[in-house]
Amino acid sequence: MDEETEQLDALTQQAGRWLALSASPAERHTTAVVAGPYDRVAWRDVYARSAALRELAAQLLTRHAHAPDLLADVFLCAYQAAPRLRDSTVMAPSRLLHHQVVTALTQSPGFAALRRDTAGDAYAAAMAVLAQASALRGLLERSREVRERTGRADRARQEAEAAAAAVGEALRQAAEKADGQGQVPAPVAAAVRRAVGAAEAAEDEARRENGAAAQAMAAAVPGIRSAARNAASAAAEAVRQEAALMRAWGVDAGETERMPFEERARLAERLRSGRLARWAELIGRFRQMAAGERARKVEHATGELVGVTLGDDLSRVIPSELAVLGVPELRAVFAARYAAGELMLYDSRGEQGTGRGAVIACVDTSHSMYAEGPGGVTREAWSKACALALLDQARHAGRDFVGILFSAADKLQVFRFPGDRPARVTDVLDFAETFLGGGTDFQRPLGTAAKILEEEFDDASRARGDIVLITDDACEVSETWTRLWNEIKRRLDFRLFGIAIATPGTATASGSVLESLCDNLRTVDDLTDVHTTADLFRVI
């Protein structure tokens, strides 16, 4: 063989390994969580819509060049019902920290509880990411050495792949220069050998950097796991609190999931920072209590359930008696007991049955309602919570609800919630957060309520509405007004319930204005006890 030439087959054999690497370099992923197209669209959409997420990404970018990929992984862990992680061997070295973070997150005790509230809900998953912001910032700050080492390993890997590609290019040029017998000029052959040598050196460097990165990662794992546990717990608590806040205000999960992202974010912020935000638990307790009282109420029965009696009123027959009708052989027995008045019936006592007309809550918002009672609960918070439970009561029965906020004679605001359509949560918040201030006047709010019931009677022939007057004060009413009030009350057959909040004994004493106006008057002294009005929800 000529000294100035070299056989192409021999060069190809020397460079064979690098040719294989340059032809099909190992795939390296930049995200640790396996995600389908819909998951990726969900992340891109929520990222584009959330200024808070973009701001967090910008903050983290000052510490970590790949922060958006980390946020995407944390989001997908919370968003997916069963997140699946890639094997760490197929990750780009610079993203191995992400892999360790999401591994620690998914293995933390609080993560399962978090995912129950966030799986499939892009907004809740985004909120979980934001709730972990502080932990992520601290984690990136403490893992600087890991990030530097994995960054070097990533660059070394890229250089090794580039060197392998250079071997392939050098061999391609050698093939072009080869003559008909496969002989390659010496300078070209030397270039191939140099490329192979460079590839070997790059591979050795990549191996050293990978080892150093692995050591740094192993040292950082305990700290990452601890930070992940704290982050998952913080996120679970934040999501739980917001979900509880939504439930307290009557916003169900289905409704929030249908809301556009921006609208839901504004609503959540309003609920967290609104006038009655600190009383969300009280509002939720009222609504739960009212729901429990509804469950105790017997349809078509009068007043409070007290036991079982015998009779022939088919509207009050207990379920086990009705079950007898399903057995043909026992129908004659049922008929005989019915004729004898010996059927088992629900026994009840007390109030007249529920009304059919609108439920109207007249809520005092005079200055004195801002005073605090037991447990720091304000009279306003207690009265608004009660009114919102009455709204639930009306909606459950398909009745209209009207909230009338009043104080002095010249201050009154009316909020209408028709029973045949959903109540917009923003309208409910407007009602709950409005506070007028000033003195106290009963004539205008009660007169307005009576007029609303009269209009309802004229338009829909619905009578027997219910008015609930919630106040902490007493005021005088004129004889003329009282006469007109009694006349319209008899004609429309509505009831007036009174709730006197922390009022002096004279305000509810026999012969007082409140006592003479109300069909049913109760006094509330302990503003932390929602059950003081429990029976009200069984008769409205």
Side-chain angles (χ1 to χ4, degrees):
M1 182 173 61
D2 193 326
E3 292 182 359
E4 298 299 321
T5 63
E6 193 160 341
Q7 186 69 31
L8 180 60
D9 290 343
L11 290 175
T12 301
Q13 186 175 2
Q14 293 176 27
R17 179 184 173 206
W18 309 108
L19 284 176
L21 289 176
S22 63
S24 57
E27 183 179 9
R28 299 292 178 172
H29 294 278
T30 57
T31 55
V33 181
V34 178
Y38 291 110
D39 293 336
R40 289 191 290 269
V41 167
W43 165 245
R44 287 196 296 267
D45 183 64
V46 78
Y47 186 81
R49 293 173 179 271
S50 173
L53 277 178
R54 296 194 300 275
E55 181 179 349
L56 175 60
Q59 293 173 0
L60 296 184
L61 276 170
T62 63
R63 297 174 171 85
H64 183 38
H66 309 300
D69 288 340
L70 175 59
L71 294 184
D73 277 330
V74 175
F75 169 85
L76 290 170
C77 272
Y79 180 69
Q80 292 181 341
R84 183 164 58 91
L85 305 188
R86 304 183 196 279
D87 191 278
S88 60
T89 58
V90 300
M91 296 292 298
S94 59
R95 309 310 201 275
L96 286 174
L97 176 63
H98 304 182
H99 190 279
Q100 188 59 55
V101 168
V102 295
T103 298
L105 271 176
T106 56
Q107 294 174 352
S108 61
F111 190 72
L114 169 66
R115 202 166 61 243
R116 280 196 294 270
D117 290 319
T118 60
D121 187 338
Y123 173 86
M127 182 185 170
V129 175
L130 294 172
Q132 298 175 76
S134 178
L136 291 174
R137 279 192 289 265
L139 189 151
L140 290 177
E141 189 63 36
R142 292 189 298 273
S143 61
R144 182 176 301 174
E145 181 180 358
V146 173
R147 289 184 287 112
E148 290 176 353
R149 287 293 186 181
T150 55
R152 291 177 190 171
D154 208 5
R155 289 190 294 274
R157 176 189 62 82
Q158 293 172 6
E159 290 171 1
E161 291 177 352
V167 171
E169 176 61 21
L171 197 60
R172 185 189 63 79
Q173 293 181 8
E176 291 180 352
K177 299 291 186 180
D179 59 17
Q181 284 75 42
Q183 298 298 320
V184 179
V188 178
V192 173
R193 286 193 293 273
R194 286 194 300 272
V196 170
E200 291 174 347
E203 184 184 40
D204 290 340
E205 180 66 15
R207 192 179 297 110
R208 283 192 295 271
E209 292 295 349
N210 281 337
Q215 290 180 355
M217 183 67 73
V221 164
I224 292 173
R225 289 176 178 168
S226 176
R229 283 195 300 270
N230 294 336
S233 297
E237 180 62 17
V239 172
R240 186 197 66 77
Q241 287 182 358
E242 181 163 308
L245 193 61
M246 292 284 186
R247 286 194 299 271
W249 284 96
V251 185
D252 60 43
E255 184 178 356
T256 55
E257 288 175 8
R258 291 190 297 270
M259 284 183 183
F261 184 90
E262 299 88 342
E263 181 181 346
R264 184 170 174 182
R266 288 193 298 269
L267 173 61
E269 179 58 29
R270 184 175 179 183
L271 293 179
R272 283 192 295 267
S273 60
R275 182 181 182 87
L276 298 180
R278 60 184 289 213
W279 307 121
E281 182 181 356
L282 176 69
I283 293 169
R285 284 170 55 206
F286 251 105
R287 286 180 143 155
Q288 290 172 6
M289 181 270 294
E293 294 304 319
R294 282 197 299 273
R296 291 182 59 192
K297 185 191 301 186
V298 181
E299 292 298 327
H300 311 301
T302 301
E304 180 182 2
L305 173 65
V306 295
V308 176
T309 187
L310 298 179
D312 60 1
D313 186 349
L314 294 179
S315 68
R316 294 190 289 134
V317 174
I318 68 173
S320 60
E321 288 278 37
L322 293 174
V324 171
L325 293 174
V327 183
E329 294 81 1
L330 296 179
R331 289 173 185 170
V333 176
F334 181 92
R337 294 179 63 190
Y338 171 63
E342 295 179 351
L343 293 176
M344 287 189 290
L345 314 176
Y346 284 117
D347 190 17
S348 61
R349 69 184 178 193
E351 297 286 349
Q352 175 186 2
T354 57
R356 295 185 300 271
V359 176
I360 302 179
C362 296
V363 183
D364 187 351
T365 60
S366 60
H367 282 311
S368 58
M369 291 291 286
Y370 199 62
E372 290 187 355
V377 180
T378 65
R379 299 172 185 178
E380 178 201 8
W382 194 96
S383 63
K384 296 287 183 61
C386 183
L388 292 174
L390 287 170
L391 168 60
D392 286 351
Q393 193 82 352
R395 300 205 67 75
H396 185 267
R399 300 167 68 183
D400 292 352
F401 176 83
V402 181
I404 299 178
L405 304 180
F406 71 93
S407 56
D410 61 339
K411 293 185 176 181
L412 182 140
Q413 196 161 343
V414 178
F415 295 83
R416 294 175 181 262
F417 300 91
D420 60 353
R421 70 193 69 162
R424 293 178 55 199
V425 66
T426 51
D427 295 338
V428 174
L429 286 171
D430 288 341
F431 165 61
E433 294 179 346
T434 299
F435 190 82
L436 302 177
T440 306
D441 173 78
F442 290 166
Q443 293 185 181
R444 189 179 176 200
L446 291 178
T448 301
K451 185 177 180 180
I452 291 171
L453 291 179
E454 185 175 31
E455 291 172 351
E456 183 182 44
F457 179 76
D458 293 340
D459 294 341
S461 299
R462 284 200 299 266
R464 288 183 56 203
D466 292 310
I467 301 173
V468 182
L469 174 64
I470 309 175
T471 183
D472 71 337
D473 205 350
C475 67
E476 296 300 320
V477 294
S478 69
E479 291 184 10
T480 301
W481 182 89
T482 302
R483 185 171 58 255
L484 294 173
W485 168 261
N486 289 332
E487 289 176 1
I488 194 171
K489 190 170 182 293
R490 280 192 299 270
R491 182 164 62 88
L492 299 178
D493 190 26
F494 62 77
R495 300 174 295 182
L496 175 61
F497 297 86
I499 301 177
I501 303 176
T503 56
T506 56
T508 56
S510 178
S512 67
V513 171
L514 281 173
E515 196 274 337
S516 63
L517 285 175
C518 297
D519 301 296
N520 182 312
L521 177 63
R522 69 211 59 219
T523 301
V524 176
D525 294 316
D526 185 357
L527 302 187
T528 63
D529 183 10
V530 300
H531 297 283
T532 51
T533 56
D535 61 319
L536 180 67
F537 295 94
R538 289 197 294 275
V539 295
I540 289 184

